[in-house]
Amino acid sequence: MPARTILVVTTSGPEAQAYRGYCLESVAASYDIVLITPDEPTWEEKEFISDFEIADPDDAEALAQAGQALADRHQLAGVATWTEWYLAQTARLALRLGLPTNSPEVMEGARNKATARTLFARHAVPSASSMTARTLLEAALAAETIGYPIVLKPAARAASIGVIRVDSAEELPAGFEFASAGARDGIESTHVLVEEFLDGPEVSVECVTYRGHTTAVAVTRKTLGDPPFFEEVAHCVDAADPLLAQVAPVAAAAVRALGITDGVQHVEMRLVNGRPRLIEVNARIGGDMIGHLVSLATGVDLPRAAADVACGQAPDLTPTHSRAAAIRLVYPAYSGTLTERRLDGNFPWLERVSFQRDVGDRLVLPQDGGDMYTARIGYLITTGASAADAQARSTEAYRHLAVQVTPA
């Protein structure tokens, strides 16, 4: 029999368990999983893995040694990650072990938004005007060239960290400082991008690419929090969404422009005057439980598809049902200390509720110097026959959520 062991490079801890635990569970149904993680796996993770090594994936030599140790103990079929920060490192490890992978350079290009914008322009993929700024003066010159309103963002981060809208020159210094703070921890780049503001609804297209052919599996409709930040507060996937046919070709063109030949992609775009314009391509399963929403809505298993492709196998992308699923991300109205959090009631269409913050935890919103990791309390997932049903139920469940925060 062919090897059925896959090496997964991932983060660990409560946040990873809450948002990526379903990936481990899904892949474990078909593969033996061995793990490389910075910390000791939790008992929940150990339920789905057969072996592990502890190593910091940002330490190239430590990662290589951990990978080789697992390869010596197991017959590996592939290497995968669903962690944004580890895409290039995982590609290098797969290359070193002689396993299927995109090139590390391609993964670095996907991670570096400045490189991605250049490739989109070269391949005529509709995107936003973008310029790189290392100083406030360069940002001011770029803003005058592009025209306000603009968006400032780190060139190599994710999860809306450091992303802010700026409407005027007076707002630019504070906005540039906010984006620069988010950019400082970037691996591929620590620069800030000054970009054209794309005015329109935001969506993502969940794609699977195998041997150069990209299939758009689902489209995710997004709800954003209050400006000037771009924090995503809700998502909805409807298997029957008519928008999928319109955005699928643009998503595939963006993946092709980056040179990605294999894997799962979360392609973000905005509909400007009804036409799709690229924000970015994330070369991994979407966060915020989006892969799980796709499974609930369509039956297509994105973690399993990612594992199959990583092992050089054709994925099964056949939908098995047609429904809708929605997630509501729970944030406080203001920064402070969490004093109460509970859901009153039990509903058959409430697929799950998860809390990542406990009573007594400090919550810090982006406007106070925090991000999604310091502010988010948890999430609710609801299902329905249509997007309208799933979203209405999400609102209903949210009304039964009791959250109290003592202001800072």
Side-chain angles (χ1 to χ4, degrees):
M1 291 181 62
R4 296 296 290 175
T5 301
I6 184 169
L7 191 163
V8 176
V9 181
T10 187
T11 54
S12 61
E15 205 77 42
Q17 177 64 25
Y19 290 94
R20 293 306 196 190
Y22 79 94
C23 295
L24 274 179
E25 183 176 1
S26 172
V27 175
S30 302
Y31 288 86
D32 292 328
I33 301 175
V34 295
L35 212 62
I36 297 178
T37 176
D39 304 297
E40 178 85 16
T42 62
W43 69 266
E44 293 94 344
E45 290 170 326
K46 287 181 178 178
E47 179 183 350
F48 302 115
I49 66 175
S50 57
D51 200 357
F52 68 92
E53 286 282 331
I54 298 175
D56 180 0
D58 289 329
D59 183 332
E61 188 55 37
L63 181 64
Q65 290 178 4
Q68 189 59 58
L70 289 168
D72 290 342
R73 300 198 295 267
H74 305 273
Q75 185 183 355
L76 300 179
V79 183
T81 187
W82 38 74
T83 302
E84 173 73 22
W85 327 113
Y86 301 157
L87 290 170
Q89 299 93 315
T90 300
R92 291 190 193 95
L93 178 59
L95 197 63
R96 183 163 179 161
L97 296 176
L99 295 169
T101 183
N102 294 285
S103 75
E105 292 75 22
V106 165
M107 290 293 95
E108 288 172 348
R111 285 278 300 127
N112 190 328
K113 296 176 178 63
T115 301
R117 290 281 188 230
T118 300
L119 291 171
F120 293 155
R122 183 179 302 165
H123 293 272
V125 178
S127 181
S129 301
S130 179
M131 299 176 72
T132 300
R134 291 165 294 184
T135 66
L136 178 58
L137 177 59
E138 290 180 352
L141 294 173
E144 291 300 326
T145 301
I146 294 172
Y148 290 98
I150 58 167
V151 176
L152 300 177
K153 65 174 64 170
R157 296 305 303 275
S160 301
I161 293 173
V163 184
I164 189 169
R165 172 175 166 168
V166 174
D167 291 335
S168 67
E170 291 72 25
E171 297 176 4
L172 186 62
F176 185 76
E177 176 56 34
F178 179 82
S180 296
R184 288 179 192 128
D185 292 329
I187 297 172
E188 290 78 13
S189 173
T190 57
H191 293 162
V192 170
L193 299 185
V194 182
E195 297 195 340
E196 170 190 9
F197 172 65
L198 301 178
D199 192 5
E202 184 170 335
V203 302
S204 63
V205 188
E206 318 314 327
C207 299
V208 179
T209 302
Y210 177 63
R211 295 185 177 177
H213 176 74
T214 297
T215 300
V217 172
V219 60
T220 304
R221 305 268 186 161
K222 300 178 177 296
T223 302
L224 302 183
D226 294 333
F229 307 102
F230 290 83
E231 204 65 56
E232 296 170 351
V233 298
H235 308 280
C236 187
V237 176
D238 188 338
D241 196 323
L243 183 62
L244 182 61
Q246 179 185 355
V247 297
V250 179
V255 172
R256 188 164 53 248
L258 293 179
I260 297 171
T261 58
D262 295 280
V264 173
Q265 300 84 38
H266 172 68
V267 183
E268 297 180 332
M269 58 182 72
R270 281 198 172 209
L271 305 176
V272 181
N273 297 322
R275 299 183 180 221
R277 300 271 300 277
L278 256 293
I279 298 175
E280 63 192 47
V281 174
N282 300 282
R284 40 79 182 167
I285 296 171
D288 292 346
M289 299 294 289
I290 286 174
H292 186 58
L293 298 186
V294 171
S295 178
L296 291 173
T298 70
V300 176
D301 189 334
L302 289 181
R304 168 65 188 274
D308 288 342
V309 172
C311 294
Q313 303 295 315
D316 183 0
L317 305 178
T318 307
T320 59
H321 51 255
S322 181
R323 310 195 270 268
I327 184 170
R328 177 71 175 263
L329 305 164
V330 182
Y331 286 93
Y334 41 79
S335 299
T337 301
L338 183 63
T339 56
E340 182 182 15
R341 56 112 175 105
R342 71 176 193 277
L343 181 70
D344 297 323
N346 187 22
F347 311 97
W349 35 258
L350 180 62
E351 196 270 340
R352 71 179 63 184
V353 55
S354 175
F355 293 112
Q356 290 82 65
R357 297 291 177 265
D358 294 319
V359 169
D361 285 353
R362 174 94 171 124
L363 308 174
V364 185
L365 289 166
Q367 57 265 39
D368 298 318
D371 53 42
M372 64 167 282
Y373 301 107
T374 61
R376 187 179 294 176
I377 298 168
Y379 61 79
L380 308 165
I381 293 180
T382 52
T383 58
S386 66
D389 286 342
Q391 289 172 316
R393 289 169 173 176
S394 180
T395 300
E396 176 67 15
Y398 194 77
R399 289 197 189 102
H400 288 80
L401 188 67
V403 171
Q404 296 292 331
V405 176
T406 301

